[in-house]
Amino acid sequence: MTRKSRELKAQGKNVINLSIGEPDFNTPECIKQAAKDAIDANQTHYTPVAGIQELRQAIATKFKNDNGLDYTFQQIIVSNGAKQSIANALLCLINPGDEVIVPAPYWVSYPEMIKLAEGVMVEIPTSVQQGFKVTPEQVEAAITPKTKAFLFNSPNNPSGAVFSYDELKGIAEVLKKYPNIYIISDEIYEYLNYCGEHATIGSFGYLKDRLIIINGVSKGFAMTGWRIGYMAAPLDIAKACDILQGQITSGASSISQLASLKAVQIAPCTSDEMKNMIATFRQRRDLLIEKLDQIPGIKTNMPDGAFYVFANVAGFYGKSDGITTIKNDVDLCMYLLENAYVALVPGGAFGNENCVRFSYATSNQNLIEAAERIKIALAKLN
């Protein structure tokens, strides 16, 4: 898809990219200034593997202020992106043959990380009808004597699904019965939440001794390229991840960490730049859903977070325009790229081949134009 998209652009085609997984906003000015100040102060040397203490303490304070959770700075590990934080946790926890329960759809790297740890992913399917949210009953049915961890993401990539406090409580009550199962909660999209206050499974204190919360600055602060993620974990797990990271990458960039220090000290609800970004994403979500719902055959639900719509397009499978027959999600994405010049991501990469992912991290004009092109192209399929 990426190669074909580049080829079409090189031919002068106006390809609209709705596959991008990062905010199309710039990092807030105060954060950029903090990085410049760090460079001018020559804070350009190696950092501790687990991160500079000032940042780790600020993250612990953020957990207390934003989420009502108590952590010491020793329980915080700063990494080169939330991806490394998740990988660290899995590599430290999972032994060969251990099972990791993962609701689908899931972020594309989860299965590969589990494989690297020599674990086995146990997938729980969900559907657009259930808002792509797993139920407590599904979680319990997936548990076996080999289950070592439960890994999930809220707000979710690719579906935008957001678990409420009550929904998390139901899952927590199931996991409470299985004290040997660790919980890895990926909350990287925490601030991109359009349905109210962010709910975390960390609210249920009886899970704290086996709970690892993953977060970072990439999505909520438009800092994808700064590569700073972090975890909050029980002290023994944090120490293990510190040791592991020390043999792989050591500490993250000093400049990025000092910029991130400024980020985690910001209350998004008081920052004009942050409030504008969140409000803009919400408006784009509403616009894209409105346009997609006008296209016969595309089934959507209203996502409550992140900046994605995960739409069911299985109704087009088996149809043809007389030249191309659509057999699956990859065929449909390639058809839309070649005929509508719109780039999407096949849902199979996220564990659901009946869907495709739309990103609304782009302008209103692009969203309107892309939807119109898609509508015309899909109307040719019979």
Side-chain angles (χ1 to χ4, degrees):
M1 288 290 296
T2 300
R3 178 185 57 78
K4 186 66 175 178
S5 179
R6 288 173 180 162
E7 289 176 358
L8 290 170
K9 285 183 178 180
Q11 295 169 17
K13 304 300 184 183
N14 178 20
V15 176
I16 299 176
N17 188 353
L18 301 188
S19 68
I20 195 164
E22 64 175 336
D24 59 322
F25 291 85
N26 293 322
T27 301
E29 290 298 323
C30 63
I31 297 174
K32 292 191 287 186
Q33 187 59 52
K36 295 172 188 176
D37 292 343
I39 293 171
D40 290 341
N42 293 312
Q43 294 177 301
T44 56
H45 302 281
Y46 286 135
T47 65
V49 171
I52 59 175
Q53 183 173 330
E54 189 179 6
L55 174 57
R56 295 165 73 196
Q57 184 59 60
I59 292 169
T61 301
K62 174 262 176 228
F63 274 113
K64 179 65 175 177
N65 293 342
D66 292 0
N67 311 111
L69 306 178
D70 291 312
Y71 288 101
T72 65
F73 82 88
Q74 293 95 336
Q75 294 176 277
I76 308 297
I77 304 295
V78 176
S79 301
N80 296 275
K83 178 182 284 189
Q84 184 177 25
S85 297
I86 299 168
N88 283 347
L90 289 168
L91 289 167
C92 285
L93 287 176
I94 304 304
N95 293 312
D98 284 346
E99 293 178 353
V100 181
I101 297 173
V102 181
Y106 43 72
W107 185 43
V108 295
S109 291
Y110 290 170
E112 307 311 316
M113 291 176 176
I114 293 167
K115 289 177 187 175
L116 285 170
E118 299 186 68
V120 177
M121 187 174 81
V122 176
E123 182 178 323
I124 303 178
T126 64
S127 66
V128 67
Q129 289 81 10
Q130 67 188 98
F132 298 111
K133 289 190 275 190
V134 69
T135 66
E137 293 76 17
Q138 286 180 296
V139 173
E140 187 148 33
I143 293 172
T144 76
K146 293 183 178 181
T147 303
K148 186 66 172 289
F150 173 69
L151 168 59
F152 77 112
N153 175 213
S154 176
N156 179 267
N157 176 9
S159 71
V162 178
F163 282 90
S164 69
Y165 176 90
D166 288 339
E167 289 166 336
L168 290 174
K169 183 178 180 180
I171 294 172
E173 288 296 319
V174 169
L175 295 171
K176 183 180 181 180
K177 296 185 285 185
Y178 301 91
N180 295 323
I181 297 176
Y182 289 89
I183 301 96
I184 304 173
S185 179
D186 180 356
E187 303 181 17
I188 189 65
Y189 290 92
E190 173 181 1
Y191 294 126
L192 298 177
N193 181 335
Y194 316 118
C195 61
E197 188 174 339
H198 173 71
T200 173
I201 201 166
S203 299
F204 308 98
Y206 49 79
L207 298 179
K208 187 174 181 181
D209 289 344
R210 48 200 175 97
L211 172 65
I212 301 160
I213 299 179
I214 307 295
N215 211 320
V217 299
S218 293
K219 310 297 184 179
F221 297 93
M223 293 177 67
T224 51
W226 299 81
R227 304 312 304 136
I228 295 293
Y230 55 82
M231 71 162 60
L235 189 57
D236 58 340
I237 295 174
K239 288 180 176 178
C241 291
D242 186 358
I243 293 169
L244 174 67
Q245 185 166 299
Q247 301 305 325
I248 298 177
T249 62
S250 293
S253 159
S254 60
I255 305 304
S256 291
Q257 288 195 59
L258 290 163
S260 298
L261 172 61
K262 185 65 176 179
V264 298
Q265 291 172 336
I266 294 173
C269 62
T270 64
S271 165
D272 289 340
E273 287 172 288
M274 298 298 299
K275 287 191 292 185
N276 175 64
M277 182 173 75
I278 294 167
T280 300
F281 276 137
R282 182 199 297 266
Q283 187 272 333
R284 290 174 180 174
R285 175 202 64 174
D286 295 345
L287 173 64
L288 181 59
I289 288 290
E290 176 189 345
K291 295 301 181 182
L292 292 180
D293 284 348
Q294 294 172 5
I295 302 175
I298 292 183
K299 298 178 182 178
T300 68
N301 71 306
M302 182 62 77
D304 288 323
F307 38 76
Y308 310 110
V309 172
F310 203 54
N312 186 299
V313 293
F316 296 100
Y317 299 172
K319 294 187 176 182
S320 174
D321 66 347
I323 300 172
T324 302
T325 298
I326 308 300
K327 298 185 290 296
N328 51 40
D329 54 332
V330 176
D331 285 349
L332 185 65
C333 285
M334 191 62 71
Y335 172 78
L336 291 175
L337 180 59
E338 293 176 339
N339 293 273
Y341 305 127
V342 176
L344 305 174
V345 185
F350 306 102
N352 188 328
E353 295 180 352
N354 289 327
C355 297
V356 297
R357 190 189 77 174
F358 296 77
S359 168
Y360 48 88
T362 188
S363 68
N364 286 355
Q365 180 180 351
N366 279 344
L367 294 174
I368 293 169
E369 175 66 19
E372 184 60 28
R373 292 184 192 180
I374 290 170
K375 184 176 183 178
I376 293 171
L378 292 179
K380 297 176 182 177
L381 298 173
N382 296 298

